[in-house]
Amino acid sequence: MYPDLDTCLHDEMAVATFKGPPSECCGNGKMERKPSGRRRVFVQTETGCVLGMELDRRDNAHTVKRKLQVAFNVPTEASSLICGDMVLKNDLSVVRNDSPLLLTRTFLHRSSSTPCLSPTGRDLLQRDQSGPIEVIGCSDMFSGTKQLVKDIMKAIKVGIEPIPIQSGLGGAYYFRNSNGENVAIVKPTDEEPYAPNNPKGFVGKALGQPGLKRSVRVGETGFREVAAYLLDHDHFANVPFTALVKVTHSIFNVNDRVNGSMHHNKKQISKIASLQQFIPHDFDASDHGTSSFPVAAVHRIGILDVRILNTDRHAGNLLVRKLEGFGRFDQVELFPIDHGLCLPETLEDPYFEWIYWPQASIPFSDDELDYIYHLDPFRDSEMLRMELPMIREACLRVLVLCTIFLKEAAAFGLCLAEIGDMMSREFQGLHEEPSELELICIEAKKLLDQEELFSYEAEAEDKDVIQFQLDCEDRDLDFTTNIEEKLTVMPPFQVGATNGIIRNTLSRLEESVMEDEAESEGELPFGGDEYNGPVGNGVPNVSRLSVSVKNTRTGEKSRQQMGVKQKSGFLAGTSSGNTTVNELPASSCFVNLTDMDEERWNQFLENFQRLVIPAFVNCKRGNVSKKQRQRLGTSCQF
């Protein structure tokens, strides 16, 4: 049976579960609602233990936890059931069929040395009934991966075992076909760098905590690999077949919970992992001169990297395969892999190895421009929500923003190198400066805050005028005979006394008018940053922005001190009684995209699109610094 429940080695942490509506998991309509209303989910603890189970319509978060408690014999009183951004309470309708879920605990009820008790009797009904390898998701794009799974299962039945991969920072395994050939690479989510069961000593964090990149959480690189494949429409950039799977095998690593050492056993262990087609190749880009790389291949990979804000496109994750045959001397094709550090939760500094290759400075072809023109980031976001329900909204906002930037830049006539340069940060000594893309976002948010501040002040002024009129009407007519005397006693414009407090509304209105006049003369209400006047439709000149980290942070503080109304963040709301997971700690983050609700987010995008054209003009005129950027590099091969 897969898996054997008494092989659950990490019972000290409560299990996380999910439930989801059955008919909404696919945008292609292939998945129909089951007559019984039952649906399949994959439950994962924060230490990596996985259980596949079926739920019916009557199940809620409480009943799911109880089922897991029966199956694993673990306490679940202080556990949180997490689905993507949300901490589920009772309503599980937001969770779709085939969802991988996570249950985390806030503290332990017993020591980590407590043995795992095996269920008996009717409790065995909770035993995992899924197969050794199951694809999570139902997209038609997974058809190639499903064929790989069939080949792997045939090989396992005849005794051909997977092989651990020694290179890289995370746990990875070659899975083979019946001929002993490598056909897929499997990377368990709980064996990533810093994850609980990492086999190479890089441990120390639970699933869901900030990882190698603080904007990418531990255990969440796997679905990013799948997202990159799903976003590679028409196999444009040659991303190999990739899918999220639940896989059961004895080859996987489990670390001892007490001393952190590897625990060797021959029992079946179920894990959630990314499974990617293995591409036979001759070398990677670091072992081959880049001059022979086709321009189209570099462009296509670069277009994908820009869309997904890839923070780890180094030469080691570009596979190179020679093309054999007559007339193909020295011709190669490229395959991009390892996309676990794409789609960060905040705007990060990307790492584009191709940015200084000569191919990146050649203009886009008509076919490439047509492909970019037809990209729809909002449709892509909806597709990822359907296929990867655990993906966070912050990642989708990065996708939308970067795709819009790519489309506008390509339409304006920028080449790939110019686009990548505008997205990359610059290091000056020990200081990291925001990229041109981030500067545009900073100004777009500033405009948004200014509009909100002006609206708030106008609303306050209207209220003051109304109150002033009411105060005047309520004055006793008997005072009219003595009004000249009163005016000689009262300070100018102080009218209307309530509970002994003198209101000075007209003077406040006068001050507001003076502020408006000061602003019209070019002074910003927030101070600190330069404003070079409008550039068409009131759009500020982006090139005059302050680009230092210090001024950027000071501007944020000054806005808070001005008392601008702050709406609740888009990811901080509640739906159906469910709350949201805390955001990641800030780490060199100049722009927060998650502190806006839907209305403000749409207005921000409008401001952003108005600002990009002046920025592109500056880029073409050479106003953007062309100095060689100092790079820290991220060769994070998993």
Side-chain angles (χ1 to χ4, degrees):
M1 296 290 289
Y2 291 95
D4 205 286
L5 282 186
D6 56 9
T7 65
C8 172
L9 302 176
H10 307 314
D11 59 326
E12 72 275 12
M13 307 299 275
V15 191
T17 87
F18 292 31
K19 157 195 171 185
S23 63
E24 298 178 355
C25 70
C26 294
N28 55 22
K30 295 295 184 181
M31 178 66 70
E32 301 293 337
R33 180 182 293 273
K34 297 180 181 180
S36 64
R38 299 182 69 84
R39 59 197 66 89
R40 181 179 66 167
V41 295
F42 298 95
V43 180
Q44 183 178 34
T45 69
E46 61 182 6
T47 54
C49 192
V50 178
L51 175 68
M53 60 188 301
E54 286 196 351
L55 307 174
D56 58 37
R57 299 172 185 173
R58 296 171 297 177
D59 284 313
N60 55 35
H62 178 72
T63 59
V64 168
K65 291 180 182 180
R66 189 168 65 234
K67 290 180 180 180
L68 291 167
Q69 186 175 22
V70 170
F72 287 151
N73 192 35
V74 294
T76 60
E77 295 84 357
S79 60
S80 296
L81 187 61
I82 299 176
C83 176
D85 287 315
M86 290 179 295
V87 178
L88 303 173
K89 298 299 183 181
N90 290 318
D91 184 10
L92 302 182
S93 61
V94 297
V95 183
R96 296 185 176 91
N97 187 54
D98 268 5
S99 291
L101 309 177
L102 178 68
L103 189 73
T104 61
R105 289 182 58 79
T106 55
F107 58 90
L108 302 181
H109 280 277
R110 58 183 180 181
S111 69
S112 58
S113 60
T114 304
C116 181
L117 303 179
S118 301
T120 59
R122 64 179 181 86
D123 297 344
L124 292 177
L125 294 175
Q126 301 300 328
R127 184 183 297 273
D128 193 333
Q129 300 295 326
S130 55
I133 305 179
E134 291 201 21
V135 175
I136 301 175
C138 48
S139 172
D140 288 340
M141 294 184 68
F142 295 143
S143 57
T145 309
K146 290 178 180 179
Q147 183 58 50
L148 283 177
V149 168
K150 292 180 181 179
D151 295 340
I152 292 170
M153 291 179 65
K154 290 180 181 178
I156 292 176
K157 288 181 179 179
V158 298
I160 298 179
E161 301 294 333
I163 302 174
I165 300 176
Q166 301 303 321
S167 61
L169 303 178
Y173 305 85
Y174 288 126
F175 276 65
R176 302 180 287 174
N177 60 15
S178 299
N179 297 325
E181 301 167 332
N182 296 334
V183 294
I185 298 177
V186 172
K187 301 177 184 178
T189 59
D190 67 326
E191 297 188 25
E192 296 176 5
Y194 296 148
N197 294 317
N198 181 277
K200 298 171 183 178
F202 301 102
V203 296
K205 295 187 178 182
L207 301 182
Q209 293 183 331
L212 205 59
K213 291 273 187 179
R214 294 188 66 83
S215 57
V216 177
R217 301 173 193 254
V218 174
E220 296 189 1
T221 63
F223 75 73
R224 285 175 166 83
E225 297 255 22
V226 181
Y229 167 70
L230 293 173
L231 291 170
D232 186 24
H233 305 305
D234 302 323
H235 215 49
F236 189 71
N238 253 1
V239 178
F241 296 130
T242 313
L244 207 61
V245 297
K246 173 185 170 293
V247 55
T248 305
H249 202 278
S250 60
I251 190 70
F252 296 129
N253 181 67
V254 176
N255 289 329
D256 185 274
R257 281 294 127 231
V258 177
N259 54 30
S261 61
M262 296 176 59
H263 180 80
H264 299 281
N265 67 85
K266 293 300 181 179
K267 295 181 180 179
Q268 300 290 335
I269 299 174
S270 295
K271 298 201 176 189
I272 292 176
S274 64
L275 184 148
Q276 186 171 83
Q277 175 191 15
F278 174 78
I279 300 297
H281 56 281
D282 297 289
F283 31 74
D284 61 47
S286 63
D287 300 324
H288 191 271
T290 61
S291 60
S292 65
F293 294 166
V295 173
V298 174
H299 282 189
R300 293 182 174 210
I301 292 171
I303 289 170
L304 176 67
D305 287 341
V306 168
R307 291 169 62 202
I308 62 180
L309 194 65
N310 195 346
T311 65
D312 192 35
R313 174 60 72 213
H314 58 82
N317 55 37
L318 279 176
L319 303 182
V320 184
R321 183 165 65 187
K322 293 182 179 179
L323 294 176
E324 303 295 339
F326 179 76
R328 288 190 169 185
F329 175 74
D330 204 29
Q331 291 188 18
V332 298
E333 57 181 336
L334 304 180
F335 296 87
I337 60 171
D338 291 347
H339 297 100
L341 295 179
C342 72
L343 295 176
E345 292 186 39
T346 60
L347 286 181
E348 278 266 8
D349 183 35
Y351 187 83
F352 300 143
E353 181 80 18
W354 41 257
I355 197 170
Y356 299 116
W357 294 356
Q359 295 91 331
S361 296
I362 298 176
F364 291 119
S365 67
D366 291 340
D367 289 342
E368 292 160 356
L369 290 173
D370 184 68
Y371 180 87
I372 295 172
Y373 175 80
H374 286 95
L375 291 173
D376 186 341
F378 301 100
R379 184 175 58 189
D380 287 341
S381 296
E382 285 302 315
M383 179 269 294
L384 291 181
R385 287 190 187 100
M386 299 297 288
E387 300 295 347
L388 299 171
M390 77 295 295
I391 195 168
R392 300 178 187 274
E393 286 296 322
C395 306
L396 298 180
R397 289 194 171 185
V398 169
L399 170 67
V400 169
L401 187 73
C402 292
T403 304
I404 290 176
F405 185 75
L406 169 67
K407 290 169 68 70
E408 295 287 348
F412 186 82
L414 298 187
C415 66
L416 183 61
E418 292 171 324
I419 296 172
D421 189 68
M422 291 187 70
M423 298 177 70
S424 300
R425 294 177 182 174
E426 185 174 352
F427 292 88
Q428 296 185 354
L430 299 177
H431 300 287
E432 186 178 33
E433 306 292 344
S435 66
E436 291 297 318
L437 171 63
E438 289 171 307
L439 291 177
I440 298 171
C441 292
I442 290 170
E443 186 64 20
K445 291 198 74 173
K446 190 177 297 182
L447 289 175
L448 194 63
D449 289 340
Q450 289 181 23
E451 294 166 1
E452 193 171 61
L453 177 62
F454 296 155
S455 175
Y456 176 72
E457 290 180 342
E459 182 181 348
E461 291 171 4
D462 291 341
K463 289 181 179 179
D464 284 342
V465 171
I466 294 173
Q467 184 62 48
F468 168 70
Q469 294 173 347
L470 291 176
D471 290 342
C472 290
E473 293 173 358
D474 291 341
R475 293 179 61 82
D476 192 347
L477 294 177
D478 293 340
F479 287 102
T480 58
T481 57
N482 300 322
I483 189 169
E484 293 182 0
E485 179 182 354
K486 290 182 178 291
L487 288 175
T488 60
V489 175
M490 296 178 64
F493 305 117
Q494 290 187 351
V495 294
T498 304
N499 297 330
I501 301 176
I502 303 297
R503 296 176 56 83
N504 194 356
T505 55
L506 287 183
S507 63
R508 271 186 285 174
L509 287 174
E510 189 177 46
E511 292 171 2
S512 179
V513 172
M514 294 175 63
E515 290 175 1
D516 291 341
E517 292 175 352
E519 291 165 17
S520 67
E521 294 175 359
E523 296 177 11
L524 284 175
F526 304 132
D529 291 327
E530 296 184 36
Y531 186 90
N532 196 31
V535 182
N537 298 326
V539 180
N541 188 335
V542 180
S543 65
R544 297 298 302 275
L545 289 174
S546 171
V547 297
S548 71
V549 180
K550 179 179 179 181
N551 287 349
T552 300
R553 292 176 178 171
T554 303
E556 293 292 336
K557 293 180 180 179
S558 63
R559 283 194 286 274
Q560 296 173 4
Q561 294 170 355
M562 286 297 296
V564 179
K565 288 195 303 182
Q566 297 293 332
K567 296 184 180 180
S568 59
F570 177 68
L571 301 183
T574 58
S575 175
S576 304
N578 300 322
T579 59
T580 58
V581 181
N582 293 333
E583 296 180 6
L584 286 172
S587 175
S588 298
C589 176
F590 298 104
V591 183
N592 186 357
L593 300 180
T594 62
D595 62 350
M596 297 174 280
D597 60 16
E598 195 67 22
E599 180 181 355
R600 296 188 79 233
W601 167 243
N602 291 330
Q603 184 60 50
F604 166 81
L605 290 178
E606 291 181 14
N607 292 343
F608 177 79
Q609 288 180 277
R610 290 162 52 201
L611 287 165
V612 292
I613 300 303
F616 296 154
V617 172
N618 291 328
C619 178
K620 280 296 187 181
R621 290 176 178 174
N623 293 340
V624 178
S625 174
K626 297 297 182 182
K627 294 182 297 183
Q628 181 84 5
R629 297 183 183 273
Q630 300 177 25
R631 298 198 172 275
L632 299 182
T634 52
S635 298
C636 306
Q637 302 183 44
F638 293 155

